[in-house]
Amino acid sequence: MTTITGNEHGQDFESRVNELGRELLSRVKPERLIALTPAWWQERLMGWASADPQFRVKLLRFVDVLPSLKTSQAIADHVRQYFRDDGRAPIRLGTGLAGRGVLRPVLSRVVREGVVTMADRFIGGSGPDEALPRLRRLTGDGIGYTIDLLGEAILSEREADVYLERYLALIDTIATGAPTGTSNVAKPNISVKLTALTSHFEPAAPEATCEAVKRRLLPLLRRARERGVFVNVDMEQYRFKDATHVTFADVMLSPEFRDWDGAGIVVQAYLKDATHDIDHLHQLARRRNIPMTVRLVKGAYWDEEVVLAAQEDRDPPVFEEKAATDANFEHCVGLLVAAHPLLRPAFGTHNPRSIAVALAETEAAGLPVGAIEFQMLYGMAEGLRKAIHSMGYQTRVYIPAGEILPGMAYLVRRLLENTSNESWMMHRHEEGDPAELLARPWPSGPEPREVRAFTNEPPAEFNLPQVRTAMDHAIAEVRDRFGGYHPLLLAGAGVETGAWDVVTYPGDPQAVIGWVARATTGSADEAVLNARQAFPAWRGRGATDRAAILRRAAALLSERRLEFAAIEIFESGKTWAEADSDVCEAIDYLRYYALQAERLQGQPVDLGVPGEDNQLLYEGRGVAAVIAPWNFPLAIICGMSSAALAAGCTAILKPAEQSPIIASYFTRLLHEAGVPGGVVQYLPGPGEEAGQHLVEHPGVDLIAFTGSNAVGRSIMEAASIVRPGQRNIKRVVAELGGKNAIIVDDDADLDQAVSGVVASAFGYAGQKCSACSRVVVVEGAYEEFRSRLGAAVQSCVVGPPHDPYTQVPPVVSAEARARIEGYLALGEAEGTMVARTRVNGAGHVVAPHVFENISRDSRLAREEIFGPVLLLFRAHDFEDALDIAMDSDFALTGGLFSRNPRNIAHARREFRVGNLYINRRITGAIVGRQPFGGLRMSGIGDKAGGPDYLLQFMVPRVVTENTMRRGFAAE
Ligand code: NDP
């Protein structure tokens, strides 16, 4: 798959590439800029940005926030905050002006105009009409164009409808307004991103996504065909690629469009599997036997792909070395030229060497000049484009159109490309050394990956077909096991008690997943006895030995991760991604606590005192009762029990009534990995009986509890009573509920804020301790945020968890639904409904709701609802927002969307919650990266998944030996 051979030819070909390249470069006419003109200023800014990465970040961030700044005061304030420390004279002048009230309007006008002028260089116009004169000029000069509409991220079906309307209008405008020539390149041409045609483009469900996209893509294609407009499908981030191809192929093979040659698609050469994409498109073209245009580009999402892969501890889908991408581009050029005429190559590059290779390949294959075209971004490398044009080749510019300020995201990306160190485009070719510019790219091979002591299990890539197929199999297999029986597991043996509790599927309550033995107080006594007996040997094994067993369990779980995820889908109603991330978290805990236990293993404490040896030891507290909730059915029970086991405790697992089956599988997996039967036992049963009995049992030394505040406090109370036969004071580890708020500042990126709030509030139907249940919006952003949020919530896809297209699943049980519906009635009585999702699904479905005008003192605003209910509050300013957000008994998670450095710094200090997230969703803490746990009524424990967590399961002992005997001290 990973072919980076570059072009396949020998020295003669190289010589020809060189000749053609030199000819090309000799035709590039240098552009001379007149000092102090806007273009000159842009060049300076870009020059500074290229030379100074910090300035570059500041500049780009400023350009990004500018559209949201409504007043001159806001602009001046941001100028000062972003550039205050900059030493450059013109910048100093600007920040100086920003500090003077009377001059702020002037500064704000200059800044806006400056950015608009800069954007004007890359953006064709604010709409199709405005772009028309430029398009006419281009076609008049024999240059083709493809026009793309800029806009915000599409977060709702309403926004997707508006986007489609804009595209239809674009097609009509350019079909009537822009002149068309006879040549292919002069035909009206648009580029479209499929993710913008639906509010839910789901990589895990390409078929459903295809249907959703087609609802708007088909009318668009029909209009384009009717009006003689060519449609090019752009390629976006890697995770969207497969669904984009599925949709494209589906449409292209449909009877309606099978014989249409008016559509094309993109291949990105920075992808390691780009050649596979060309093969796939070639096959598609063969099946249709109609030519299809393929634009070969290097790819515009390199930074994002690399950063996301690094965050997930996986190899990126893109080449990390620029030379490898360049070489792969050359290889792909050869494949495309060989696939002509079924594939019509269009080369999108600003790199003289890549262009020269395309010219040489075309020539070597004996293709006419008109067989290929070159595409360049509008406003970039104009000299180079003219040079290619002068050599007789067709050229086309990719020209975005749309409101300048909202189109800033696009502009920022363009600027990034222009100024990044490993720039894809060297736009000043006239200044470069031809030998260097035309040198053959020689990738030196990927850098070896750093081996780290702990890495997180990467999430499953459901965007890949083979992973989806494996998940489908896992789901089918787990379905086949429905109705199984799960006894208690005491000292390694299955124990039945005569009473069985049924577990059903929240997505279809008639479906019985399995039967689980109900523990009695007698079985709890037996479990404690076994655990006490097993404890000394387990403690004595030492951390290294225990860690090895836990790592073996992690490896086993990793092998069976999809099976475990499938169990969660049915037992707990988790969606694919949520189930998968819960299993990943469980694997992480096993590995992380193994490592922490080794770290804490008895290290002699050397205090530098002669004649004395001091040793500080940590060892397991004893028997741990692990009492877990259902909402992270594997991760939490695994986290608490693996911490106990790593620390040297024995553990009795009491799962929640709603999720006992996954815990049974997990206990057996631990046994398989080598944890002795008495060291980890499985004791399902009602909390008030088996759970409470464990809590009160004199033989239990520690209770690791995660669950509701009420139960947590009752456990602490019960654990404080010393009972006959009890030797230890019980330690309680308690992680409790939340009532979490997100603040949306008036300069927030609303694309990010709306999607972040929707994910935080409605992921897993809001049944997360970390979920957002209150969103506090600063006045200036309120109306727009409310409107976009409302539309996004109406567009949420509610459905059964086993369907990968589902965004919001049913809640866990009929009781949970009844309880949440009580809160909904209260919301309707006390406040105003902003939005509600339409639902018609089976199972315990509760529609996501948003309310406003709710009093801060209402039960709705104060109690944990644990369902898909969100309250919206309006704040006068940032301080007020913080005050509302902190007005809660709970303090588990919190969030802030802001681009104001001062407010971000203020929130870091004063938004005192256990886990504060800035400019991202507030759910999904990752072991080791976001140690997790709350303050106030949200918990008393140390952070789960953090370096201190294990200490709670341990007792420290210090042994001091006097090593001086009769006056002699050992060294
Ligand atoms: P519950 O508090 O109802 O139950 C948690 C566990 O405690 C269950 O196993 C339950 O058993 C058991 N239990 C109930 N009563 C007793 C008792 N008297 N003595 C001993 N054990 C008892 O919580 P949920 O399972 O409904 O989980 C949701 C709650 O958990 C929410 O409040 C959520 O915020 C919180 N949570 C907190 C997290 C954090 O990290 N801070 C993470 C995840 C959830 P049974 O099911 O048999 O009743």
Side-chain angles (χ1 to χ4, degrees):
M1 180 183 84
T2 310
T3 328
I4 35 171
T5 48
N7 69 67
E8 314 273 281
H9 308 282
Q11 196 44 49
D12 290 351
F13 182 80
E14 258 320 289
S15 309
R16 189 61 188 140
V17 169
N18 208 30
E19 271 167 32
L20 286 166
R22 282 176 187 271
E23 184 186 344
L24 175 74
L25 290 173
S26 71
R27 288 169 180 257
V28 178
K29 296 206 178 67
E31 213 183 333
R32 293 272 163 256
L33 297 173
I34 302 160
L36 298 177
T37 59
W40 181 87
W41 270 109
Q42 286 163 34
E43 289 294 321
R44 296 221 82 178
L45 278 178
M46 287 196 193
W48 291 338
S50 314
D52 176 351
Q54 275 185 356
F55 179 75
R56 177 174 152 235
V57 170
K58 279 191 240 169
L59 178 68
L60 295 178
R61 290 195 166 169
F62 180 73
V63 168
D64 174 58
V65 71
L66 186 65
S68 71
L69 306 179
K70 307 279 182 323
T71 61
S72 53
Q73 160 91 39
I75 292 181
D77 187 34
H78 282 72
V79 166
R80 269 166 73 81
Q81 289 195 60
Y82 278 64
F83 300 107
R84 195 177 3 220
D85 307 328
D86 204 282
R88 277 164 266 260
I91 307 274
R92 266 211 319 276
L93 179 71
T95 50
L97 290 181
R100 308 235 189 115
V102 282
L103 296 176
R104 279 185 197 141
V106 182
L107 176 78
S108 118
R109 210 180 54 239
V110 169
V111 167
R112 266 175 188 269
E113 281 175 6
V115 174
V116 167
T117 316
M118 200 189 289
D120 193 54
R121 176 167 166 178
F122 305 105
I123 296 179
S126 63
D129 288 326
E130 210 179 285
L132 265 186
R134 291 184 187 191
L135 304 184
R136 286 204 188 99
R137 257 199 317 277
L138 288 169
T139 31
D141 292 342
I143 303 159
Y145 64 84
T146 182
I147 184 163
D148 146 83
L149 287 183
L150 296 172
E152 296 156 327
I154 299 299
L155 303 176
S156 64
E157 291 298 282
R158 186 180 77 193
E159 291 177 1
D161 283 339
V162 171
Y163 199 65
L164 171 65
E165 287 308 318
R166 286 177 59 206
Y167 257 101
L168 294 176
L170 171 70
I171 291 170
D172 288 340
T173 308
I174 61 173
T176 26
T180 56
T182 44
S183 76
N184 186 34
V185 81
K187 241 179 145 184
N189 188 312
I190 59 169
S191 288
V192 61
K193 293 184 175 48
L194 297 192
T195 58
L197 296 180
T198 171
S199 58
H200 186 36
F201 195 98
E202 175 53 67
E207 286 76 21
T209 298
C210 169
E211 291 310 310
V213 169
K214 275 180 4 189
R215 281 199 284 277
R216 297 190 182 86
L217 181 61
L218 293 180
L220 187 153
L221 294 179
R222 283 180 195 127
R223 181 76 60 92
R225 182 162 68 175
E226 201 181 295
R227 309 297 310 256
V229 172
F230 187 93
V231 179
N232 182 79
V233 172
D234 278 350
M235 203 51 76
E236 303 168 66
Q237 288 90 338
Y238 186 66
R239 61 185 180 279
F240 300 131
K241 188 182 74 160
D242 193 43
T244 302
H245 277 299
V246 166
T247 308
F248 185 73
D250 182 281
V251 174
M252 289 294 105
L253 291 170
S254 67
E256 185 178 0
F257 291 102
R258 207 184 165 101
D259 60 353
W260 187 45
D261 70 346
I265 191 164
V266 172
V267 169
Q268 297 157 315
Y270 68 6
L271 293 181
K272 292 172 185 164
D273 58 5
T275 52
H276 167 85
D277 294 337
I278 295 178
D279 281 350
H280 161 78
L281 292 172
H282 198 184
Q283 278 172 32
L284 177 63
R286 276 201 210 101
R287 282 176 73 185
R288 299 174 76 229
N289 202 22
I290 298 275
M292 205 163 69
T293 302
V294 174
R295 180 199 298 155
L296 179 66
V297 299
K298 292 199 179 159
Y301 303 86
W302 188 86
D303 287 81
E304 183 180 337
E305 301 288 7
V306 171
V307 170
L308 288 182
Q311 284 185 350
E312 294 185 348
D313 270 321
R314 66 163 106 249
D315 283 333
V318 297
F319 294 110
E320 284 169 86
E321 245 186 308
K322 173 77 167 77
T325 293
D326 288 343
N328 198 41
F329 188 90
E330 295 187 9
H331 181 65
C332 292
V333 166
L335 295 179
L336 283 179
V337 167
H340 184 271
L342 267 183
L343 297 187
R344 287 186 190 141
F347 301 111
T349 172
H350 303 81
N351 179 312
R353 158 85 199 181
S354 307
I355 295 169
V357 168
L359 295 174
E361 284 280 8
T362 319
E363 191 183 82
L367 300 190
V369 287
I372 61 165
E373 67 176 56
F374 289 91
Q375 298 193 0
M376 300 199 172
L377 296 169
Y378 179 69
M380 302 269 196
E382 191 49 18
L384 200 57
R385 194 200 55 69
K386 284 183 183 149
I388 304 172
H389 188 66
S390 74
M391 288 169 80
Y393 286 89
Q394 303 182 111
T395 60
R396 183 187 300 282
V397 291
Y398 185 102
I399 183 164
E403 289 295 328
I404 302 284
L405 291 183
M408 271 319 168
Y410 173 85
L411 177 64
V412 163
R413 185 134 36 83
R414 291 287 83 85
L415 289 170
L416 258 175
E417 285 166 348
N418 227 8
T419 55
S420 85
N421 291 339
E422 280 250 330
S423 168
W424 297 134
M425 333 170 179
M426 301 280 297
H427 68 302
R428 294 199 145 252
H429 312 292
E430 63 279 11
E431 287 168 8
D433 169 10
E436 217 174 281
L437 287 171
L438 298 171
R440 185 170 185 164
W442 287 112
S444 51
E447 299 265 312
R449 287 187 75 192
E450 185 195 341
V451 180
R452 287 189 272 149
F454 170 75
T455 54
N456 296 104
E457 181 81 356
E461 292 179 276
F462 291 126
N463 55 314
L464 301 179
Q466 64 277 22
V467 182
R468 289 196 299 274
T469 308
M471 189 67 195
D472 282 336
H473 285 150
I475 287 180
E477 247 176 59
V478 167
R479 218 186 252 279
D480 284 347
R481 286 185 229 156
F482 273 15
Y485 284 77
H486 303 268
L488 315 181
L489 295 168
L490 302 182
V495 175
E496 297 181 9
T497 57
W500 297 95
D501 287 315
V502 67
V503 181
T504 58
Y505 176 31
D508 172 11
Q510 304 307 316
V512 172
I513 319 269
W515 300 88
V516 178
R518 180 186 299 185
T520 59
T521 51
S523 31
D525 289 339
E526 197 183 327
V528 175
L529 191 65
N530 296 334
R532 289 232 71 81
Q533 282 169 356
F535 172 58
W538 184 245
R539 176 183 57 190
R541 277 180 92 148
T544 312
D545 211 10
R546 292 192 299 264
I549 296 176
L550 294 183
R551 290 198 180 99
R552 210 151 46 233
L556 286 174
L557 188 52
S558 179
E559 272 167 36
R560 293 172 60 188
R561 54 185 284 178
L562 295 185
E563 175 200 346
F564 274 72
I567 297 169
E568 292 196 18
I569 287 172
F570 287 117
E571 184 177 36
S572 306
K574 290 243 164 193
T575 57
W576 282 33
E578 297 276 0
D580 176 63
S581 74
D582 192 58
V583 178
C584 287
E585 188 178 338
I587 298 168
D588 287 349
Y589 280 129
L590 287 161
R591 293 190 180 131
Y592 185 81
Y593 292 140
L595 187 71
Q596 296 303 326
E598 286 172 333
R599 182 177 63 84
L600 291 168
Q601 183 157 243
Q603 295 291 332
V605 182
D606 182 6
L607 296 174
V609 179
E612 190 176 278
D613 171 72
N614 293 303
Q615 197 171 19
L616 172 65
L617 299 168
Y618 289 100
E619 55 186 34
R621 274 184 178 270
V623 173
V626 173
I627 302 179
W630 49 267
N631 63 333
F632 289 98
L634 180 61
I636 291 181
I637 205 159
C638 168
M640 295 193 291
S641 52
S642 56
L645 296 177
C649 298
T650 51
I652 302 168
L653 275 53
K654 204 315 268 171
E657 278 166 66
Q658 297 87 342
S659 59
I661 293 179
I662 191 87
S664 156
Y665 277 88
F666 175 61
T667 310
R668 280 182 276 154
L669 181 130
L670 288 174
H671 291 157
E672 196 185 327
V675 182
V679 171
V680 64
Q681 302 178 87
Y682 170 64
L683 194 77
E688 301 81 3
E689 294 168 29
Q692 192 154 338
H693 193 66
L694 279 180
V695 168
E696 293 170 0
H697 201 292
V700 167
D701 304 299
L702 175 143
I703 299 132
F705 171 82
T706 305
S708 62
N709 180 276
V711 174
R713 281 187 295 148
S714 79
I715 285 179
M716 278 182 261
E717 213 174 307
S720 70
I721 299 169
V722 176
R723 294 181 168 77
Q726 184 174 333
R727 284 266 162 91
N728 289 321
I729 291 175
K730 293 182 198 217
R731 174 82 182 235
V732 180
V733 178
E735 309 285 338
L736 311 173
K739 185 73 186 172
N740 313 301
I742 291 179
I743 295 176
V744 178
D745 205 352
D746 56 5
D747 70 346
D749 174 346
L750 293 192
D751 284 355
Q752 201 183 45
V754 171
S755 60
V757 166
V758 169
S760 305
F762 303 115
Y764 194 38
Q767 304 170 107
K768 298 183 189 183
C769 48
S770 52
C772 169
S773 59
R774 300 176 295 142
V775 54
V776 188
V777 187
V778 177
E779 185 72 55
Y782 191 86
E783 292 306 326
E784 192 181 346
F785 178 84
R786 176 188 184 279
S787 160
R788 293 193 72 193
L789 174 77
V793 170
Q794 277 160 3
S795 308
C796 281
V797 177
V798 180
H802 66 265
D803 179 347
Y805 199 61
T806 294
Q807 262 174 306
V808 183
V811 298
V812 74
S813 63
E815 299 78 61
R817 180 169 67 181
R819 196 177 38 75
I820 299 164
E821 281 171 351
Y823 282 107
L824 291 179
L826 198 60
E828 283 177 40
E830 291 185 1
T832 318
M833 196 195 302
V834 174
R836 171 176 55 195
T837 314
R838 258 198 305 276
V839 297
N840 50 7
H844 312 302
V845 170
V846 178
H849 276 70
V850 184
F851 294 103
E852 64 182 349
N853 300 325
I854 299 284
S855 152
R856 278 163 70 170
D857 296 322
S858 159
R859 278 180 50 219
L860 267 181
R862 309 210 76 84
E863 294 174 6
E864 185 181 39
I865 299 175
F866 227 58
V869 185
L870 178 66
L871 310 182
L872 197 53
F873 292 91
R874 186 194 293 259
H876 314 302
D877 53 26
F878 187 74
E879 277 298 328
D880 187 33
L882 195 55
D883 186 49
I884 299 173
M886 288 301 292
D887 184 13
S888 170
D889 295 338
F890 295 100
L892 186 51
T893 64
L896 167 65
F897 287 94
S898 174
R899 287 177 286 191
N900 183 323
R902 189 188 318 106
N903 291 352
I904 291 176
H906 190 55
R908 279 176 178 269
R909 283 191 309 271
E910 304 295 334
F911 199 165
R912 287 203 169 81
V913 289
N915 286 70
L916 177 66
Y917 297 92
I918 298 165
N919 289 327
R920 52 154 285 177
R921 69 193 161 104
I922 64 170
T923 53
I926 291 179
V927 173
R929 272 165 64 186
Q930 288 101 21
F932 188 78
L935 316 175
R936 294 187 182 168
M937 288 295 150
S938 292
I940 50 160
D942 281 289
K943 297 277 187 196
D948 308 326
Y949 188 71
L950 276 198
L951 290 174
Q952 304 174 103
F953 295 77
M954 295 173 147
V955 281
R957 288 200 295 121
V958 173
V959 179
T960 299
E961 184 181 347
N962 173 9
T963 55
M964 197 160 69
R965 299 262 166 91
R966 299 197 177 271
F968 289 105
E971 278 303 307

